[in-house]
Amino acid sequence: MAWLIPVLLFPVFGTLFYVFVQLQMETKIFAKRIAEVQKRTDHFLEQDTAVYERLSRRSRRNANLSLYMKKSGGYPTWDRTNFKYFPLGDEFYTDVLQELQKARRYIFVEYFIISKGILWDSILKILEQKAKEGVEVRILYDGMNSFSNLPHDYPKELEAKGIRCRIFNPIRPAISTSQNNRDHRKILVIDGHTAYTGGVNLADEYINRKVRFGHWKDNAIRLKGEAVRNFTVMFLQMWDVCSKKPDSDFDYSPYLDTGDYFHSPELDMDGFSIPFSDSPIDGEPVGHQLYLDIIYQAKKYVYIMTPYLVLDDDMITALTYAAKRGVDTVIIMPHIPDKKSAFMLAHSYYTELIEAGVKIYEYLPGFVHSKTFVSDGEKAVVGSVNMDFRSQYLNFECGVYIYENPVVEQIKKDFDETLPKCVAADRTVDVGRMQEKNGLAGKHPDGMIQKKKRKRAEENLLYSLPSFSFSGSAAAVLTDDSARSRKEVAPISFL
């Protein structure tokens, strides 16, 4: 339906542009390569039937979710996973340096942002040493880094140190819709038995060694146990996708054998987990559906941290319905934004959500970058999926869904301890702030609300148009892939 707008407004240009997008061979080749890699490796992600049966006895609803995550996302459910939660990037930094030192066989690193500084230099020093010791080290990062954070020849620099490196979707001076799909995932795997994910990227602002938008509130989580298998395969699949001529035989088994590593049974935790990835190519918005499932199943509360709030009708309906049926529905947003336009767009949703009973708070000390759901003391999600269109429909994302594991309480504790540092947003505060920012102080609030609603409708209409730019520019292409054409396109998120 989005294509009807440019075609009707600009018949000749709109039609030609539609044909141009539909004939994008690079996007089709890329999608074909992803499908081929997944087809040849999905047998490494078989569901353990005993685990599924235990989950089914515990919760039929979560067993249904497990079926969906395996059938539509490709990733199985595991039990007895050992988790360690980090409420700040600062704590993640200390722990990851210690775990990297223990690596004996391989280290896989896949991050959306890698930027030279205290954090990355410390990690790289260990990676170099491990490579000299014979540990296999692979690094995969998104192509946007070559534009702003790292030299174009950085892979060669790493290869000279004995570290293998690939770039996901490199930025090129050509018009291509494939440039719109970025690798926003955060994955670090050590020897197949330890993995990290979360919101933290590998740059100094994420550990508060560099101040950009006040205090940086982020999080990460560490996994130990069989669930790490999902992240190992996740990384290897993307590694093979990033090679036009695959140099592997798609045999991942050597990396899934943890060797003589001993995982003490007392480290096992109760409950279940599903490490997952979300692809914009397959037409199945796994992260979006997972969030909806948590909201609709919530009985007592659903608590959310997100840096961005750009919602479709499905998510608005879910959030407002949860609040209307008595579920304590709370969202924590940044108070100091990294992008003013995205922040103002987020504010355009405040009135509708708040009037329905959703509580919105802003983190006074600075910027919230955590992407976290926690609900009813029994389930949580930690990962890279923002509450915006780009994360849920255009980027490659990852995370871990956790059910009835003790770490859920730690995640809720983080939310509870963060909330007192926030200021509540209400209809008056929201409208007043928007009036002040736009030089409209003194105008009637209801008039402002109507203007904001019209403005948001205009912005969503704009984002629904398949637009693009040269891939060598600072902004990636802003067109929706044909697999996602049913949804609007959001502004780019670089975090």
Side-chain angles (χ1 to χ4, degrees), residues 89-93 118-119 200-201 203-210 216:
D90 316 44
E91 298 177 23
F92 156 82
Y93 171 54
I118 296 171
L119 171 57
V200 177
N201 281 299
D204 285 354
E205 56 265 38
Y206 295 87
I207 59 171
N208 288 292
R209 297 297 184 93
K210 178 181 179 181
W216 194 288

Side-chain angles (χ1 to χ4, degrees), residues 2-224:
W3 282 108
L4 289 177
I5 299 171
V7 170
L8 291 175
L9 292 177
F10 313 101
V12 177
F13 174 78
T15 302
L16 290 175
F17 188 52
Y18 172 78
V19 173
F20 164 77
V21 170
Q22 295 303 314
L23 294 177
Q24 284 287 296
M25 293 305 298
E26 184 178 4
T27 302
K28 294 179 180 179
I29 293 172
F30 185 59
K32 183 178 180 181
R33 190 157 67 240
I34 291 174
E36 176 66 17
V37 170
Q38 291 177 336
K39 181 179 179 180
R40 297 184 64 174
T41 60
D42 61 1
H43 62 281
F44 292 114
L45 293 170
E46 294 295 333
Q47 176 64 61
D48 184 327
T49 55
V51 172
Y52 176 76
E53 289 171 1
R54 284 195 290 272
L55 174 60
S56 185
R57 289 194 294 270
R58 184 87 64 93
S59 169
R60 183 64 248 177
R61 287 181 174 179
N62 275 275
N64 290 341
L65 177 61
S66 174
L67 283 175
Y68 167 77
M69 297 295 281
K70 181 65 180 78
K71 182 178 179 180
S72 300
Y75 293 92
T77 301
W78 301 93
D79 62 357
R80 296 192 293 271
T81 305
N82 178 274
F83 284 101
K84 184 175 182 179
Y85 178 71
F86 307 99
L88 288 174
D90 316 44
E91 298 177 23
F92 156 82
Y93 171 54
T94 302
D95 192 82
V96 79
L97 293 182
Q98 294 173 353
E99 291 293 330
L100 286 172
Q101 294 282 9
K102 302 175 186 177
R104 296 174 57 190
R105 298 172 57 229
Y106 66 83
I107 299 171
F108 296 157
V109 178
E110 178 183 344
Y111 277 81
F112 180 55
I113 291 177
I114 296 178
S115 183
K116 293 182 178 181
I118 296 171
L119 171 57
W120 177 240
D121 292 349
S122 300
I123 290 177
L124 183 58
K125 183 178 180 180
I126 297 175
L127 298 182
E128 289 179 31
Q129 180 59 40
K130 287 298 175 180
K132 290 178 182 178
E133 295 173 5
V135 174
E136 181 180 356
V137 181
R138 302 191 195 184
I139 295 174
L140 176 63
Y141 60 83
D142 186 78
M144 290 301 295
N145 286 277
S146 300
F147 186 84
S148 55
N149 298 321
L150 299 171
H152 287 274
D153 61 350
Y154 198 58
K156 292 182 180 179
E157 185 178 326
L158 293 176
E159 296 280 353
K161 301 175 185 293
I163 299 172
R164 301 181 67 187
C165 181
R166 285 182 181 170
I167 301 176
F168 174 87
N169 206 359
I171 302 299
R172 292 184 297 275
I175 299 175
S176 172
T177 58
S178 67
Q179 294 294 313
N180 204 21
N181 304 124
R182 310 314 313 177
D183 182 0
H184 193 245
R185 308 194 306 187
K186 289 88 174 162
I187 301 171
L188 194 154
V189 180
I190 302 172
D191 291 345
H193 56 65
T194 300
Y196 294 84
T197 191
V200 177
N201 281 299
L202 303 184
D204 285 354
E205 56 265 38
Y206 295 87
I207 59 171
N208 288 292
R209 297 297 184 93
K210 178 181 179 181
V211 178
R212 295 186 62 196
F213 312 105
H215 183 262
W216 194 288
K217 172 70 180 80
D218 217 323
N219 67 356
I221 196 165
R222 188 190 73 194
L223 299 74
K224 286 181 179 288

